[in-house]
Amino acid sequence: MKSLLLILFFLYSCQESFESKYDKALKLSENSNYRQSNAILHEIIDSEDSSQETKNLSYFLLADIYLKINQYENAISSYKSLLKTPIENKLRKQSLFMVGYIYFNNLHMYTHAKKYYEQFKTEYRDDNLIASVDYELESINKIINNGK
């Protein structure tokens, strides 16, 4: 019995926490080692044992990585995963903005961008980013109206 407890303790102590795995993925990303970072982030996201907060951070970092390597649809997908979190979540707010931003500035999908920017304005009326959202919406409307 004592040896079983020692084995279990050893296995538990050797296991790296998900928070430290996230920190490792962040450092890898900062060093442009996106492939390894991506693998760690997916491990965190796919695990039933990682906390929701660590998963949220992982989705956001993963989206940022995809954005850096011009995989815009994957970036949007990762950002959208955070739109399921409570409205008070800061990463949710940033993700909602980024979805609109990528649709407009990278994919030139103006109606999609407009939808997410308008959702941002509805959900975060008094936010500091509203001026940026308004500017983006004005630009989108000019493009749409010039096309008619």
Side-chain angles (χ1 to χ4, degrees):
M1 179 70 170
K2 194 174 186 181
S3 61
L4 178 62
L5 288 174
L6 283 173
I7 292 170
L8 289 174
F9 175 76
F10 177 75
L11 290 173
Y12 179 77
S13 64
C14 289
Q15 221 174 20
E16 190 176 8
S17 75
F18 287 103
E19 290 79 12
S20 64
K21 286 182 182 188
Y22 173 80
D23 291 339
K24 183 177 180 179
L26 181 59
K27 286 184 178 113
L28 287 165
S29 172
E30 289 169 350
N31 292 320
S32 302
N33 193 336
Y34 302 130
R35 185 180 306 243
Q36 279 186 290
S37 181
N38 186 315
I40 294 169
L41 294 170
H42 277 286
E43 180 186 340
I44 294 167
I45 290 166
D46 294 340
S47 173
E48 293 180 11
D49 296 325
S50 61
S51 71
Q52 190 59 51
E53 181 181 348
T54 306
K55 287 183 184 197
N56 292 344
L57 289 168
S58 297
Y59 275 120
F60 196 82
L61 180 56
L62 189 59
D64 282 349
I65 289 170
Y66 285 135
L67 184 57
K68 287 177 186 173
I69 60 174
N70 302 327
Q71 291 189 11
Y72 303 121
E73 294 292 344
N74 287 333
I76 287 171
S77 178
S78 292
Y79 284 129
K80 282 184 176 180
S81 296
L82 289 160
L83 300 184
K84 301 170 190 163
T85 65
I87 199 164
E88 300 82 23
N89 184 332
K90 183 180 176 183
L91 293 177
R92 181 191 187 282
K93 176 184 73 169
Q94 291 172 315
S95 295
L96 182 57
F97 179 85
M98 289 305 298
V99 169
Y101 181 89
I102 294 168
Y103 274 133
F104 177 44
N105 293 285
N106 300 106
L107 297 176
H108 310 291
M109 298 173 72
Y110 307 120
T111 55
H112 284 67
K114 190 172 180 176
K115 171 187 168 189
Y116 286 95
Y117 280 141
E118 287 174 349
Q119 180 180 345
F120 188 97
K121 284 186 70 162
T122 300
E123 294 177 2
Y124 301 103
R125 288 187 180 100
D126 300 323
D127 193 80
N128 293 337
L129 287 173
I130 290 295
S132 297
V133 170
D134 285 339
Y135 176 80
E136 295 279 290
L137 283 169
E138 283 178 34
S139 299
I140 291 168
N141 287 330
K142 284 179 186 175
I143 292 168
I144 290 173
N145 291 333
N146 284 338
K148 292 182 180 180

